[in-house]
Amino acid sequence: MSFKQSTSLKQIQLAHGGGGLEMAKLIRELFFTAFDNPILAAEEDAAVLNLSGPCAFTTDSFTVSPLFFAGGDIGKLAIAGTVNDLAMMGAEPQYLSLALVIEEGFELAKLRTIIQSMAAELAKSGARIVCGDTKVVPKGCADGLFINTTGVGRVLRPGLSAAKLQPGDAILVSGDIGRHGAAILMAREGLQLESDLISDCASLWQVVEQLLALPFELHAMRDATRGGIAAVLNEWAVRSGVGIALEEARLPISDEVQGLCELYGFEATDLANEGTFVLALPKRDAEGALEVLRRFDGGSKAAIIGEVCEDHAGRVVLTTAWGGRRYLDLPQGELLPRIC
Amino acid sequence: MSFKQSTSLKQIQLAHGGGGLEMAKLIRELFFTAFDNPILAAEEDAAVLNLSGPCAFTTDSFTVSPLFFAGGDIGKLAIAGTVNDLAMMGAEPQYLSLALVIEEGFELAKLRTIIQSMAAELAKSGARIVCGDTKVVPKGCADGLFINTTGVGRVLRPGLSAAKLQPGDAILVSGDIGRHGAAILMAREGLQLESDLISDCASLWQVVEQLLALPFELHAMRDATRGGIAAVLNEWAVRSGVGIALEEARLPISDEVQGLCELYGFEATDLANEGTFVLALPKRDAEGALEVLRRFDGGSKAAIIGEVCEDHAGRVVLTTAWGGRRYLDLPQGELLPRIC
């Protein structure tokens, strides 16, 4: 009996989501301690924020498997993902909500690690968790832990849009591509490569804040998550009614990612990134922006990878290393499930 | 082969969450059609909203089982739940995000019904879904469908708070209690009562808008979801440092709910509501507010159920129908899992 009790105290129980005493205790001891701020501490049905002018608003649920991977965990990912969606719209990541769906029996120690990882990632952008929700479902009804983060923040640079690309724009990428997808693939296949391959999972607000502070005429930014840079660039080409010409030789891809792609039949351009973004801006500003990108962690491989053109409207054209040309299409099929 | 294809087209596949072609198609055909509005149609990484002044911000994940129950479904619940959390803070429900975690193999027809149910419920408050996220997890990794809705809206009446109750306030409830919990219990146990017992699941914005428009001095409002009115009133008593005296005979409880409670050993005061709220305001305004509550759908049983007092600070005291007195405590233990 005493063994059972001490075990159960180390695991999430259904009562932790019941709206009663146990839930109140969990929220206070775990979440309020990690995310301490006056808005959250008000404990009302909704947080009250002071917002003014145009605000960006974005939501993401995270179901990544495994929960821990080289370079991050679901907590870091859930903060970085939503912070980045705000940043990509030229908005300062200010306020986040946090909603957890936890499977009964989930280890409390793991949950604590994930929550601490969220708190550490929040510190990188100054965003705050101001409201939350905790649900517990019976064993077998979810796979460990799902997290939703939804964010809101004021737009510092209005007008960034997937529909704003213009012929003559340069296309830049902020670092080498495909690392998150490759890291998850490695973790899932139980591969132990003798390599430094880790996910690019990171908050991009610091570098974006610098780009916004400089007088560059930014047209569009997008973090290349599910579907990789292929998905982003295809969407941009369609939305802006332009063609995008990429040079394969300029795509920054690490040897490790390239190797895994060859082994598993993936394209690095389809693989998810979680701290790498694509940027479109007039050519005259391209070198300046590149210099900013390279100054930040993970940006040493940043590159100008192509340009926007008038022909092939709605398509992305890749000039291969051998001089051939082919369309880079929107990814199709299953790719990697539960990548984020 | 052709059979397999036609079956799979009727079910959600992993590719619907992959960030590629299939996901884009699902989003456009299902979500954009149901929730059509210009902000959503902009399809950026984040929606851009025009907000000003104090705004309320709230999140909820919904894991209710079963997905369909008497009086509603998970879609209606996900809209009403978040709309109500905003309304309870005196805020107009303006913008909602929608994030789905769908189990592979989930029937497309069911998803369509749920999405249409959300659209119908949105129309009752005028709130709009302006951004979203779709994740698909492999079969067995989730139980059908989980939904997160997060909402933001401007505060029309600042200062409503769980900490604002004052001795002399009246405590009102907007309808008969425990119906959502009882309806879920019935559905889960496969009970077919010869009764009209349906969940109270509903958006409360219309009635709250009327209360806000009138010159009542409102102190606190809270929809009595998980943990029922027992959870809300205990939280209020602690946060405001007051006692709350309830009269059992005044609690509006239907015969069907009372019968189920006796059968299963629940207290109606612990059962979840999803369209019933508790209100604290000075006694002089109580009859006026009651008149407003009774004017709306589901409000015919609205009642003044008690008052705020100085003694028993932090506790809720129930005077029973027999004249005895006991503490009404914060619910404890498992209650009903997956109630919302």
Side-chain angles (χ1 to χ4, degrees):
Chain A
M1 187 63 192
S2 72
F3 173 71
K4 184 172 177 257
Q5 276 191 327
S6 81
T7 304
S8 66
L9 286 174
K10 291 179 179 168
Q11 297 182 335
I12 290 291
Q13 301 167 285
L14 285 173
H16 285 120
L21 198 64
E22 296 84 351
M23 189 169 91
K25 194 161 173 283
L26 178 75
I27 289 174
R28 223 155 268 141
E29 288 179 4
L30 193 51
F31 304 135
F32 284 14
T33 309
F35 305 130
D36 185 37
N37 67 69
I39 305 175
L40 182 65
E43 286 186 71
E44 301 292 346
D45 248 17
V48 177
L49 315 177
N50 269 300
L51 296 166
S52 62
C55 286
F57 181 51
T58 186
T59 190
D60 251 315
S61 283
F62 297 86
T63 62
V64 67
S65 170
L67 295 173
F68 297 85
F69 48 84
D73 59 42
I74 190 173
K76 182 180 184 184
L77 189 61
I79 299 301
T82 291
V83 159
N84 292 347
D85 283 349
L86 293 172
M88 294 297 108
M89 288 299 286
E92 179 189 354
Q94 292 180 279
Y95 304 111
L96 266 55
S97 65
L98 167 64
L100 306 172
V101 175
I102 316 174
E103 184 185 12
E104 180 191 13
F106 192 76
E107 275 177 50
L108 208 50
K110 267 193 199 169
L111 184 60
R112 201 177 297 277
T113 304
I114 288 164
I115 295 295
Q116 281 161 354
S117 165
M118 299 185 94
E121 194 61 23
L122 283 165
K124 292 178 186 162
S125 64
R128 290 181 289 178
I129 286 177
V130 293
C131 58
D133 178 56
T134 308
K135 294 279 167 17
V136 180
V137 297
K139 219 168 170 57
C141 292
D143 188 19
L145 175 68
F146 300 147
I147 297 181
N148 177 280
T149 47
T150 301
V152 63
R154 64 192 165 137
V155 176
L156 301 181
R157 176 78 68 105
L160 287 165
S161 166
K164 288 285 177 69
L165 275 71
Q166 292 173 16
D169 281 359
I171 302 288
L172 278 67
V173 66
S174 70
D176 61 308
I177 61 173
R179 280 201 282 133
H180 181 70
I184 294 295
L185 179 65
M186 245 177 54
R188 215 174 287 166
E189 300 282 314
L191 296 180
Q192 299 281 347
L193 295 189
E194 297 275 335
S195 80
D196 301 324
L197 176 55
I198 62 168
S199 166
D200 61 320
C201 176
S203 292
L204 291 165
W205 174 238
Q206 287 178 350
V207 57
V208 169
E209 192 177 25
Q210 284 299 307
L211 287 172
L212 297 177
L214 290 163
F216 303 136
E217 185 187 322
L218 305 173
H219 290 164
M221 297 193 287
R222 186 70 64 101
D223 52 335
T225 57
R226 277 181 292 176
I229 70 163
V232 175
L233 296 177
N234 271 284
E235 191 186 331
W236 283 3
V238 171
R239 296 283 312 285
S240 293
V242 297
I244 294 176
L246 291 189
E247 287 193 47
E248 195 170 38
R250 290 180 170 222
L251 294 176
I253 305 172
S254 71
D255 292 342
E256 291 87 350
V257 169
Q258 192 58 51
L260 273 176
C261 280
E262 283 163 15
L263 198 59
Y264 286 90
F266 286 110
E267 297 284 344
T269 47
D270 290 352
L271 287 184
N273 309 273
E274 290 292 344
T276 303
F277 68 108
V278 189
L279 173 61
L281 82 178
K283 250 180 218 165
R284 64 174 180 278
D285 290 334
E287 288 293 340
L290 185 62
E291 194 270 324
V292 173
L293 295 177
R294 288 192 170 155
R295 214 188 295 156
F296 284 84
D297 258 6
S300 65
K301 305 273 184 60
I304 299 170
I305 58 172
E307 62 180 23
V308 179
C309 46
E310 282 182 32
D311 46 349
H312 300 287
R315 304 296 298 264
V316 180
V317 181
L318 188 75
T319 302
T320 67
W322 317 102
R325 299 175 86 189
R326 65 174 176 92
Y327 287 124
L328 180 70
D329 287 318
L330 193 63
Q332 233 178 311
E334 294 193 6
L335 301 171
L336 281 173
R338 300 184 65 188
I339 195 76
C340 60
Chain B
M1 187 60 191
S2 71
F3 173 72
K4 185 174 176 253
Q5 275 189 329
S6 80
T7 305
S8 66
L9 286 173
K10 291 179 180 168
Q11 297 183 334
I12 290 291
Q13 301 166 285
L14 285 173
H16 285 120
L21 200 61
E22 296 84 353
M23 188 169 90
K25 195 162 171 284
L26 178 74
I27 289 173
R28 226 157 263 140
E29 289 179 4
L30 192 52
F31 304 135
F32 283 15
T33 309
F35 305 129
D36 186 37
N37 68 67
I39 305 175
L40 182 65
E43 287 187 70
E44 302 290 348
D45 249 17
V48 177
L49 314 177
N50 269 300
L51 296 166
S52 61
C55 286
F57 181 50
T58 184
T59 190
D60 252 313
S61 284
F62 297 87
T63 62
V64 66
S65 171
L67 296 173
F68 297 86
F69 48 84
D73 59 41
I74 190 174
K76 181 180 183 184
L77 188 62
I79 299 300
T82 291
V83 159
N84 292 348
D85 282 349
L86 292 172
M88 294 299 107
M89 288 300 284
E92 179 190 354
Q94 292 180 280
Y95 305 111
L96 265 56
S97 64
L98 169 63
L100 305 172
V101 174
I102 316 174
E103 184 186 10
E104 179 190 14
F106 193 75
E107 277 177 51
L108 208 49
K110 266 192 201 169
L111 184 60
R112 200 177 299 276
T113 303
I114 289 164
I115 295 295
Q116 281 160 355
S117 163
M118 299 184 95
E121 194 60 24
L122 283 165
K124 291 177 187 163
S125 65
R128 291 181 290 178
I129 286 176
V130 293
C131 59
D133 178 55
T134 308
K135 295 280 169 14
V136 180
V137 298
K139 219 170 168 54
C141 292
D143 187 19
L145 175 67
F146 299 148
I147 297 181
N148 177 279
T149 47
T150 301
V152 63
R154 63 194 164 135
V155 176
L156 301 182
R157 176 79 68 104
L160 286 166
S161 165
K164 288 284 176 68
L165 275 71
Q166 291 172 16
D169 280 359
I171 302 288
L172 278 67
V173 66
S174 70
D176 60 307
I177 61 173
R179 281 202 281 134
H180 181 70
I184 295 295
L185 180 64
M186 244 177 55
R188 215 174 287 164
E189 299 282 316
L191 297 179
Q192 299 282 348
L193 294 191
E194 297 275 334
S195 82
D196 301 326
L197 177 56
I198 63 169
S199 165
D200 61 319
C201 177
S203 292
L204 292 165
W205 175 237
Q206 288 179 349
V207 57
V208 169
E209 193 177 24
Q210 284 299 309
L211 287 173
L212 297 178
L214 290 163
F216 303 135
E217 185 187 322
L218 305 172
H219 290 165
M221 296 194 287
R222 186 69 65 99
D223 53 334
T225 57
R226 277 181 293 177
I229 69 163
V232 175
L233 295 177
N234 271 283
E235 191 185 332
W236 284 2
V238 171
R239 296 283 311 286
S240 293
V242 296
I244 294 177
L246 291 190
E247 287 193 47
E248 194 170 38
R250 290 181 169 223
L251 294 177
I253 305 172
S254 71
D255 292 343
E256 291 87 351
V257 169
Q258 192 58 50
L260 274 176
C261 280
E262 282 164 15
L263 197 58
Y264 286 90
F266 286 111
E267 298 283 344
T269 46
D270 289 354
L271 286 184
N273 308 273
E274 289 293 343
T276 302
F277 67 107
V278 188
L279 172 60
L281 81 178
K283 250 179 219 166
R284 63 173 180 278
D285 290 333
E287 288 293 340
L290 185 62
E291 195 273 321
V292 173
L293 294 176
R294 289 194 169 155
R295 213 189 296 154
F296 284 85
D297 259 5
S300 66
K301 305 272 184 61
I304 300 170
I305 58 172
E307 61 180 24
V308 178
C309 46
E310 282 182 33
D311 45 350
H312 299 288
R315 303 296 297 266
V316 180
V317 181
L318 188 76
T319 302
T320 67
W322 316 104
R325 298 176 86 190
R326 65 175 175 92
Y327 287 124
L328 181 69
D329 286 318
L330 192 62
Q332 232 177 314
E334 294 194 6
L335 300 172
L336 280 173
R338 298 184 66 189
I339 195 77
C340 59

